Amino acid sequence: MTLTADAQTGADTTAPGNQAGAPASARPTATGEALRKALDGPFHDVKQRWRTEVTAADFVRDPEWDIPTAREWALDKLVGLAGRGLAIAGFPEAQGGRGNQAESVAHFEMLAMGDLSLTIKSGVQHGLWGGAVTNLGNPWHHETWLPDTISGAATGCFAMTELGHGSDVQSLETTITWIPEDGEYEVHSPTPTASKAYIGNAATHGKWAAVFGQLIVDGENQGVHVIIVRIRTEDLSPVPGVTCGDQGHKGGLLGVDNGTITFDRVRVPRTHLLDRFGGVGEDGVYHSAIESKNARFFTMLGTLVRGRICVGGGAASATRKALSIATRYALKRTQFRLPGLGEEILLLDYQTHQRKLLPNIARAYAYGFAQNELALQLQRVTEAQGSDPVAARELETRAAGMKALLTRWANDTIQVAREACGGAGYLSENGITLLRQDADVFATFEGDNTVLLQLVAKALLLDYKKTWGDMDMRGTAQATARMIGGTFLERTTARSVIERILAGSKSKDVNARAWHIEMFEDREKHIVEGLAKRMRAAAKAEDVFAATNACQQHMLAAAKAHTDRVVLEAFIEGIDECEDPYITSILSKVCDLYALATIEENRGWYMEHERFDGSRSKAVTEAVDALLVELRPKALELVEGLGVEEGWLDAAILA
Amino acid sequence: MTLTADAQTGADTTAPGNQAGAPASARPTATGEALRKALDGPFHDVKQRWRTEVTAADFVRDPEWDIPTAREWALDKLVGLAGRGLAIAGFPEAQGGRGNQAESVAHFEMLAMGDLSLTIKSGVQHGLWGGAVTNLGNPWHHETWLPDTISGAATGCFAMTELGHGSDVQSLETTITWIPEDGEYEVHSPTPTASKAYIGNAATHGKWAAVFGQLIVDGENQGVHVIIVRIRTEDLSPVPGVTCGDQGHKGGLLGVDNGTITFDRVRVPRTHLLDRFGGVGEDGVYHSAIESKNARFFTMLGTLVRGRICVGGGAASATRKALSIATRYALKRTQFRLPGLGEEILLLDYQTHQRKLLPNIARAYAYGFAQNELALQLQRVTEAQGSDPVAARELETRAAGMKALLTRWANDTIQVAREACGGAGYLSENGITLLRQDADVFATFEGDNTVLLQLVAKALLLDYKKTWGDMDMRGTAQATARMIGGTFLERTTARSVIERILAGSKSKDVNARAWHIEMFEDREKHIVEGLAKRMRAAAKAEDVFAATNACQQHMLAAAKAHTDRVVLEAFIEGIDECEDPYITSILSKVCDLYALATIEENRGWYMEHERFDGSRSKAVTEAVDALLVELRPKALELVEGLGVEEGWLDAAILA
């Protein structure tokens, strides 16, 4: 298939290769607009609202600001946007939100096209603190805290991570002890490592904290619960028993006031426990509708999955911004001359430069469609209110895999964009280094990527039937051993279109979508099956830790293969839903590039497992190179389609 | 081979896997000391001097400082170290240096274990500005500028790059025009893009600049030459005709005052032209011993190759520091419990964590040995004073390849180290984020990595017989077409030991060194041969640009394969020179890990080209995994061997 004429303008906008793109204009081209609409998908209206109503002055930060300035700016802008009804869609309608989780993810993504410090400040205030009260609290909690949380008056912390335990939440040391004689709880940090750490809003702005700790009732540990504790007065003075520390300068996100919180036997009213899933009643007795402590814990955590989805989406937005800057620069910057001292050559006309940017633009589309689907899935699971635990676990699995893949890609790709702009890319005035510094920690917070990928692999082995947390490595290995039959390859919502494609074509052409699907599916299936076999053997080993430990890299590979397949299916579905044939033809090429670049990246695996031979592998690389040449003339339109307003780019080199 | 007992202590220091390393102590273990000595090689005395005489207070920067503070600190510390005879070994003995280029590289590497802003400040002042005067000037220039350059009183810039041209130095726009009637030169920036840009010392501290420009004599362009121009008075006031700009905030290196310089018909005395390779004499006529303008230009640039070697070495030092922090942290930090709620597990006992750190530690050793060899080669070429142009071109080729590989590895690996420390890694107090920010631009300055790798590939195609700059892509393609016979695989100085190994063993075991050598050599040879064939065909193509452009990725692959082979040979030679059998046994394992991890990374290529099949590929991965288990107990000693003093680590998490 070749690119068809532009259905909307009637003109063939396919430009020859060696030609500068149009200068950055206030409005994108018609093709760019149409690509934007397709990629925005169900969130087009929300995202367009940002593009038309929000200016750089509302949410783009000066990279030179010091910590105090950046922190005050972030709180101020958050309050300003919330006052305009932006980035608060996830709150209940009763308190002024829209009760829409999917929309709240879209808002987060748009915020991340401005500034990541502000994004994370909002994520802490509205997403994590507000989300904990919303999802773990009862109507009284909502009425008491949410209106001021939305406005930014009731600043709050999500106090989960401790110095000693980040990834291993079940081992938190903070205690929430029921004191029956007084009818209240006592919150305490029993050791130095029990201090809450890396907590946003803790260093300067927070008045409240949702504190995670072991709930002890009558000497029995009921597992981790969450309680609202005041940590500063309304005028931000200290309160007795609570010590807040400032963790100061970081590698980025200087607008977020991360700090420590330590509790010295702080008394808290009974009603402050967020007791949707369990707590001590007026009768002084612990009640929970979920009997298993493990199930209770993971159900609670499960309601907080949105944070992970937002982090992946925010990282992707920052990457889109970096790709927009680097690609637009490559369309105006020349270096070296054509043979025979001809005219100077545009950077984007070099194969090496195309290799840096175009496959990543394709990946940005792929991840964008997958992120849309993930947000919709979040909405469905939220609306099901626990009635579909398999869907909930599937959502958690995808959220974990997507978060890990998107944040890894973000870190790598923003760096590529920086280098693609040469020395100019290193100047803060060109916007990329700030993105890189801020996005860095996205690989760690809301779950270390390596740990998340292992969670995905566990879920794949257990077929979503078990709660993740039910088992450690030995438990997983044993449970795997009980698996009956082959492994599991559930279809995404793209089920019907995938089946239609597979039924319609048996082509093994490298550009055949059916072949791409087959390659992605096959890789996932084989890796997961192999892992299951190894885990079964490991369960019987003398040293279970050593045996399961040796499977860790295999687990990462399984998780990546699974998530890659989910992403491809979402891309295919996104194209299927596009009604403009010209845009469909472009997106198909972009999907080819995503699929083939991913297959190329994994060609070692395919050849190791005799899925294809060396000549096929070379053909894949040639097909990628051919797609670069074909898509090069559409580079400007493609980055316009990524949806970052020109006015937000804030890069002096594009002026 | 298994690790033998420690020859020095008599004890078997091989500890079982799941055991914390010794706490960070002031002195390394005996094994660590011995590894340090081996890796330092010929530079052990120089490097030990830094370790015993230089403290963190001398050269470790506070990451929180703002730009003015960081800049003043850098100049102050540079002056202090120079006063102690540190980091000035490259200057002529007559002016107080040691006339030793190799040693000056070693100094640079040690400086980079403290702070990269200070390192680059020194690189600008002593390496680039001082190096230009030393290598391009005559004895009068030396006597006039070098003593004050060494002390830091005569602050200078290396004004090569312009806004419009960075990589393409021959297209610089600045003019140096001979005015016969006045017997002096006029330096001028004819267009806005002719402004010098990204120039260290330009924004605040520089009094002088070595300005690169087109030398015009009697209307004839003699090509790029360098002239000394005053840019500020001794009290740092402006001088007429010279405008200096401040490029302000950057992604890192805040202690380096990068700026722009623009010249408005500035008159400069005739004697200020650095005329070692050409200039206008007292007779008012242009003289040069090198007739070809191209050859003259590349001879001049060639004398400045040290900067590129230093940048690679400095990036490697920063990476060693990051690996030291992350590995020591992984030896004290636990997370999650052993199966059945046993004790908590050390991070470094996880396979995924070992995969992050240990192969990179192995790479640090490999690059360290190769860097030593490169510095010695620089010394030999400098001493030859132009009498061995093939050796000079070989040096430039290796310097380009090493710079590109080491700085890419540095950026990737410092990020891995940051993530391996989790949220703590993101706090500036733990030292890693500053390294990451500062090292970023090493991928760009002293030559964009993508451009450098293409230079390497060109040199390989032309067999070092031609000057690089003699030809553009078409010229290269045509010259390649004239190549007679097969391609070229010169041996490094490791020639004799490599031949001994190849003669002694025909083993195809994955752990056999002979097999590693064969795999590295074969990959280089095949890729370069294939490239030569494609370039020959491209020379005859209708669209030569399109045809050679399509070979660019292939050129990068050739350059990497070549440099990998050079590195492996240097590692093998380094081991061969080690006299302690215990240390030799450890280094052999480390070399196995480097070699196998590199083969594993390129397994797609090997299978594509039927160098080995899938089962062999899996065996390589298994061998890497086995080496991780084997080397894990030596992790502390291995990072000690990387030679970064504990006192310089400046990481709160290790306290």
Side-chain angles (χ1 to χ4, degrees):
Chain A
M1 194 200 301
T2 55
L3 298 180
T4 59
D6 189 330
Q8 297 182 312
T9 64
D12 184 350
T13 56
T14 307
N18 184 30
Q19 174 180 313
S25 64
R27 296 307 325 147
T29 61
T31 301
E33 286 275 18
L35 284 165
R36 229 171 236 201
K37 186 160 182 280
L39 184 57
D40 287 345
F43 306 107
H44 187 56
D45 291 345
V46 171
K47 294 188 171 183
Q48 277 297 98
R49 188 180 160 207
W50 281 79
R51 294 188 190 110
T52 51
E53 292 181 19
V54 180
T55 68
D58 291 323
F59 76 151
V60 176
R61 178 160 66 101
D62 186 328
E64 291 198 46
W65 283 334
D66 63 10
I67 289 176
T69 311
R71 286 179 178 179
E72 293 313 312
W73 174 85
L75 182 59
D76 181 60
K77 292 299 164 189
L78 173 148
V79 168
L81 291 170
R84 293 159 66 184
L86 292 163
I88 54 166
F91 287 103
E93 290 181 270
Q95 279 82 35
R98 292 180 34 85
N100 193 313
Q101 301 273 303
E103 241 181 59
S104 75
V105 173
H107 278 280
F108 190 93
E109 290 170 20
M110 295 313 287
L111 202 46
M113 293 185 181
D115 175 69
L116 293 180
S117 273
L118 173 56
T119 304
I120 297 305
K121 187 77 174 177
S122 167
V124 166
Q125 172 68 15
H126 294 139
L128 294 174
W129 152 253
V133 175
T134 303
N135 294 303
L136 303 177
N138 60 45
W140 177 78
H141 296 121
H142 293 185
E143 283 160 34
T144 307
W145 277 280
L146 291 188
D148 283 353
T149 293
I150 292 174
S151 73
T155 40
C157 304
F158 184 79
M160 182 162 80
T161 297
E162 297 177 357
L163 278 177
H165 294 90
S167 295
D168 185 5
V169 176
Q170 279 187 297
S171 292
L172 292 178
E173 295 177 80
T174 299
T175 51
I176 305 170
T177 308
W178 173 245
I179 311 291
E181 53 274 30
D182 299 326
E184 58 187 14
Y185 294 103
E186 183 187 88
V187 177
H188 187 58
S189 313
T191 69
T193 51
S195 282
K196 297 297 176 183
Y198 317 113
I199 310 298
N201 263 347
T204 47
H205 290 142
K207 297 172 187 169
W208 300 97
V211 179
F212 286 68
Q214 308 289 346
L215 180 64
I216 315 288
V217 181
D218 294 335
E220 185 182 348
N221 186 342
Q222 296 290 348
V224 171
H225 284 62
V226 186
I227 191 165
I228 295 180
V229 183
R230 185 175 264 290
I231 61 164
R232 281 189 187 85
T233 64
E234 285 301 307
D235 64 358
L236 300 181
S237 302
V239 294
V242 179
T243 308
C244 294
D246 190 334
Q247 293 187 291
H249 202 277
K250 305 188 296 293
L253 295 181
L254 295 188
V256 185
D257 57 325
N258 296 88
T260 55
I261 315 176
T262 313
F263 303 97
D264 183 15
R265 304 197 179 282
V266 176
R267 290 298 181 98
V268 183
R270 186 187 64 81
T271 51
H272 281 208
L273 194 84
L274 295 172
D275 59 355
R276 179 173 164 202
F277 297 105
V280 175
E282 285 185 49
D283 55 3
V285 176
Y286 181 82
H287 301 277
S288 171
I290 308 173
E291 192 154 345
S292 151
K293 290 175 190 172
N294 248 325
R296 204 187 293 151
F297 172 73
F298 284 96
T299 302
M300 285 169 61
L301 279 200
T303 65
L304 305 175
V305 68
R306 184 183 59 182
R308 213 161 258 173
I309 296 171
C310 284
V311 162
S317 292
T319 315
R320 292 188 192 189
K321 191 173 182 180
L323 286 169
S324 299
I325 294 170
T327 304
R328 286 169 181 273
Y329 182 63
L331 286 168
K332 58 182 277 190
R333 172 78 176 184
T334 59
Q335 200 72 226
F336 293 109
R337 292 174 191 283
L338 280 170
L341 295 182
E343 60 185 301
E344 289 187 296
I345 300 164
L346 275 179
L347 292 188
L348 199 58
D349 285 324
Y350 288 108
Q351 185 190 43
T352 46
H353 218 80
Q354 292 164 5
R355 270 271 178 186
K356 287 176 190 174
L357 298 177
L358 297 180
N360 280 313
I361 291 172
R363 203 159 269 132
Y365 276 86
Y367 290 155
F369 284 112
Q371 177 74 7
N372 288 349
E373 173 51 29
L374 192 62
L376 294 176
Q377 204 174 356
L378 168 69
Q379 186 60 24
R380 289 193 295 271
V381 165
T382 307
E383 285 170 6
Q385 296 217 29
S387 64
D388 188 349
V390 169
R393 225 121 50 214
E394 192 183 277
L395 171 69
E396 288 173 51
T397 304
R398 289 188 187 163
M402 286 280 289
K403 188 271 182 187
L405 258 60
L406 268 63
T407 58
R408 168 85 280 123
W409 168 70
N411 271 299
D412 293 344
T413 305
I414 298 172
Q415 181 65 24
V416 166
R418 202 294 289 156
E419 294 176 26
C421 294
Y426 197 56
L427 299 182
S428 300
E429 66 177 18
N430 293 318
I432 299 181
T433 56
L434 185 70
L435 292 173
R436 179 68 190 72
Q437 292 172 11
D438 289 349
D440 177 348
V441 78
F442 282 53
T444 297
F445 61 25
E446 284 290 328
D448 170 86
N449 283 351
T450 303
V451 174
L452 290 184
L453 291 173
Q454 292 177 66
L455 289 183
V456 173
K458 273 179 159 186
L460 294 174
L461 291 173
L462 301 174
D463 203 0
Y464 302 131
K465 282 179 200 125
K466 288 274 179 187
T467 305
W468 282 345
D470 272 356
M471 43 203 68
D472 56 19
M473 293 284 271
R474 182 168 62 186
T476 303
Q478 288 166 342
T480 305
R482 290 192 295 271
M483 275 175 72
I484 295 161
T487 51
F488 171 76
L489 190 90
E490 102 289 7
R491 288 249 177 269
T492 61
T493 55
R495 188 178 301 113
S496 61
V497 53
I498 298 291
E499 275 161 18
R500 187 167 8 107
I501 291 170
L502 293 178
S505 162
K506 303 290 174 223
S507 171
K508 299 290 180 191
D509 186 274
V510 286
N511 286 314
R513 186 73 68 239
W515 185 69
H516 303 159
I517 295 169
E518 185 191 328
M519 287 298 102
F520 276 60
E521 285 187 353
D522 195 31
R523 180 171 141 244
E524 176 185 359
K525 190 164 179 293
H526 189 89
I527 293 180
V528 176
E529 278 175 357
L531 178 62
K533 274 183 214 150
R534 285 184 68 183
M535 290 293 272
R536 268 180 224 124
K540 296 171 200 148
E542 199 174 327
D543 183 343
V544 177
F545 173 71
T548 52
N549 194 37
C551 300
Q552 276 199 318
Q553 288 292 124
H554 200 153
M555 291 178 85
L556 306 191
K560 286 177 193 160
H562 170 72
T563 313
D564 282 346
R565 200 256 308 165
V566 168
V567 169
L568 177 66
E569 295 197 1
F571 200 161
I572 291 169
E573 189 181 21
I575 294 172
D576 193 60
E577 284 166 3
C578 175
E579 289 169 3
D580 178 332
Y582 177 64
I583 298 304
T584 300
S585 72
I586 295 181
L587 289 175
S588 281
K589 291 288 173 193
V590 175
C591 187
D592 288 350
L593 181 53
Y594 164 71
L596 287 166
T598 305
I599 292 170
E600 186 188 36
E601 238 178 43
N602 291 285
R603 68 194 197 283
W605 185 87
Y606 287 110
M607 285 184 282
E608 251 175 9
H609 296 82
E610 297 177 354
R611 262 48 188 181
F612 54 65
D613 64 9
S615 62
R616 183 71 170 182
S617 180
K618 290 177 197 169
V620 168
T621 293
E622 283 161 21
V624 170
D625 288 339
L627 281 165
L628 298 181
V629 173
E630 205 170 348
L631 286 170
R632 154 67 187 89
K634 288 280 159 245
L636 178 67
E637 290 84 345
L638 287 172
V639 292
E640 286 174 342
L642 296 180
V644 188
E645 277 293 294
E646 283 92 303
W648 300 344
L649 292 179
D650 196 36
I653 39 171
L654 300 181
Chain B
M1 194 199 301
T2 56
L3 298 180
T4 60
D6 188 333
Q8 297 181 313
T9 63
D12 182 349
T13 56
T14 307
N18 183 30
Q19 173 179 313
S25 64
R27 296 307 324 148
T29 60
T31 301
E33 286 275 19
L35 284 165
R36 229 171 236 204
K37 187 160 182 282
L39 184 57
D40 288 345
F43 306 106
H44 186 57
D45 291 345
V46 171
K47 294 189 171 183
Q48 277 298 100
R49 191 183 156 204
W50 280 78
R51 294 187 191 109
T52 52
E53 292 181 19
V54 179
T55 67
D58 291 323
F59 75 152
V60 176
R61 177 160 66 100
D62 185 327
E64 290 198 47
W65 282 334
D66 62 11
I67 289 175
T69 312
R71 286 180 178 179
E72 293 313 311
W73 174 87
L75 182 59
D76 181 61
K77 292 299 163 187
L78 174 148
V79 168
L81 291 170
R84 294 159 66 183
L86 291 163
I88 55 167
F91 288 102
E93 289 181 271
Q95 278 83 34
R98 290 180 36 83
N100 193 314
Q101 302 272 304
E103 241 180 59
S104 75
V105 174
H107 278 280
F108 191 93
E109 290 170 17
M110 295 312 287
L111 202 46
M113 293 183 182
D115 176 68
L116 293 179
S117 273
L118 174 56
T119 304
I120 297 307
K121 188 78 175 176
S122 167
V124 166
Q125 171 67 15
H126 293 137
L128 293 175
W129 153 252
V133 176
T134 302
N135 294 304
L136 302 178
N138 61 44
W140 177 78
H141 295 122
H142 293 184
E143 283 160 33
T144 307
W145 278 279
L146 291 188
D148 284 352
T149 293
I150 293 174
S151 72
T155 39
C157 305
F158 183 79
M160 183 161 82
T161 296
E162 296 176 356
L163 277 178
H165 294 91
S167 295
D168 185 5
V169 177
Q170 279 187 296
S171 293
L172 292 179
E173 295 177 79
T174 299
T175 51
I176 305 171
T177 308
W178 173 245
I179 311 291
E181 52 275 29
D182 299 326
E184 57 187 15
Y185 295 103
E186 183 187 270
V187 177
H188 187 58
S189 312
T191 68
T193 51
S195 282
K196 298 296 177 183
Y198 318 112
I199 310 297
N201 264 346
T204 48
H205 290 141
K207 298 172 187 169
W208 300 97
V211 179
F212 286 67
Q214 308 289 346
L215 180 65
I216 315 289
V217 182
D218 294 336
E220 184 181 350
N221 187 341
Q222 295 291 347
V224 171
H225 284 62
V226 186
I227 191 164
I228 295 180
V229 184
R230 186 175 264 289
I231 61 164
R232 282 189 186 84
T233 65
E234 286 301 307
D235 65 359
L236 300 181
S237 300
V239 295
V242 179
T243 308
C244 295
D246 190 334
Q247 293 188 289
H249 202 276
K250 305 188 296 294
L253 296 180
L254 295 189
V256 185
D257 56 325
N258 295 86
T260 56
I261 316 176
T262 313
F263 303 96
D264 182 15
R265 305 196 180 283
V266 177
R267 290 298 182 99
V268 183
R270 186 187 63 80
T271 52
H272 281 207
L273 193 84
L274 295 172
D275 60 355
R276 179 173 166 203
F277 297 106
V280 175
E282 286 185 49
D283 54 2
V285 176
Y286 181 82
H287 301 278
S288 172
I290 307 173
E291 193 153 344
S292 150
K293 288 176 192 173
N294 247 326
R296 205 186 292 151
F297 172 73
F298 284 96
T299 302
M300 286 169 60
L301 278 200
T303 67
L304 306 174
V305 68
R306 183 183 58 183
R308 213 161 259 175
I309 296 172
C310 283
V311 162
S317 292
T319 314
R320 292 188 192 190
K321 192 173 183 180
L323 286 169
S324 298
I325 294 170
T327 305
R328 286 170 182 274
Y329 182 64
L331 286 167
K332 59 181 277 192
R333 171 78 179 185
T334 58
Q335 200 71 233
F336 293 109
R337 293 173 190 284
L338 280 169
L341 295 181
E343 61 185 297
E344 288 186 296
I345 301 164
L346 275 178
L347 292 188
L348 200 58
D349 285 323
Y350 288 107
Q351 185 190 41
T352 46
H353 218 80
Q354 292 165 5
R355 270 271 177 184
K356 286 177 189 173
L357 299 176
L358 297 180
N360 281 313
I361 292 172
R363 202 158 270 132
Y365 276 86
Y367 290 154
F369 284 112
Q371 176 74 8
N372 288 348
E373 174 51 29
L374 192 63
L376 294 175
Q377 204 175 355
L378 168 69
Q379 186 60 24
R380 289 193 295 271
V381 166
T382 307
E383 286 169 7
Q385 298 218 25
S387 65
D388 189 349
V390 169
R393 225 121 49 215
E394 191 182 278
L395 171 69
E396 288 172 52
T397 304
R398 289 189 187 163
M402 286 279 289
K403 188 271 181 186
L405 258 60
L406 268 64
T407 58
R408 169 83 281 125
W409 168 69
N411 272 300
D412 293 343
T413 306
I414 298 172
Q415 181 65 24
V416 166
R418 201 294 289 156
E419 294 175 25
C421 294
Y426 198 57
L427 299 182
S428 299
E429 65 176 20
N430 292 318
I432 299 181
T433 55
L434 186 69
L435 293 172
R436 179 68 191 72
Q437 291 172 11
D438 289 349
D440 176 349
V441 77
F442 282 54
T444 298
F445 62 24
E446 283 290 329
D448 170 85
N449 283 351
T450 303
V451 174
L452 291 184
L453 291 173
Q454 291 177 68
L455 289 182
V456 172
K458 273 178 160 188
L460 294 174
L461 291 174
L462 302 174
D463 203 2
Y464 301 132
K465 282 179 201 126
K466 288 275 179 188
T467 306
W468 281 346
D470 271 355
M471 44 203 69
D472 56 19
M473 292 286 271
R474 182 168 62 186
T476 303
Q478 287 166 342
T480 305
R482 290 192 295 271
M483 277 176 70
I484 297 161
T487 51
F488 172 77
L489 189 91
E490 101 289 8
R491 289 249 175 269
T492 62
T493 56
R495 189 178 299 115
S496 61
V497 52
I498 298 291
E499 276 162 15
R500 188 170 3 109
I501 290 170
L502 292 178
S505 162
K506 303 286 174 227
S507 171
K508 300 288 181 193
D509 186 273
V510 285
N511 285 313
R513 187 73 69 238
W515 185 70
H516 302 159
I517 295 168
E518 186 192 326
M519 286 298 101
F520 276 61
E521 286 187 352
D522 195 32
R523 181 171 140 245
E524 175 185 0
K525 191 164 179 293
H526 189 88
I527 293 180
V528 176
E529 279 174 358
L531 178 62
K533 273 183 216 150
R534 285 185 67 184
M535 290 293 272
R536 268 181 225 124
K540 296 171 202 148
E542 197 174 330
D543 183 343
V544 177
F545 173 72
T548 53
N549 194 36
C551 299
Q552 276 200 318
Q553 288 291 125
H554 200 153
M555 291 179 86
L556 305 191
K560 286 177 193 162
H562 170 72
T563 313
D564 281 346
R565 200 255 309 164
V566 168
V567 169
L568 177 67
E569 295 196 3
F571 200 161
I572 291 169
E573 188 181 21
I575 295 172
D576 192 60
E577 284 166 4
C578 175
E579 289 170 1
D580 178 332
Y582 176 64
I583 298 305
T584 301
S585 72
I586 295 180
L587 289 175
S588 282
K589 290 288 172 194
V590 175
C591 187
D592 289 349
L593 181 53
Y594 164 72
L596 288 166
T598 305
I599 292 170
E600 187 188 36
E601 240 177 42
N602 292 284
R603 67 194 200 282
W605 184 88
Y606 287 110
M607 286 184 282
E608 251 176 10
H609 297 83
E610 296 177 356
R611 263 47 190 182
F612 53 65
D613 63 9
S615 62
R616 183 70 169 182
S617 180
K618 290 178 197 169
V620 168
T621 294
E622 282 161 21
V624 170
D625 288 340
L627 281 164
L628 299 181
V629 173
E630 206 171 348
L631 286 169
R632 155 67 187 90
K634 288 281 161 245
L636 178 67
E637 291 84 345
L638 287 172
V639 292
E640 286 175 342
L642 295 180
V644 188
E645 278 292 297
E646 282 92 304
W648 300 343
L649 292 179
D650 196 37
I653 39 172
L654 301 180

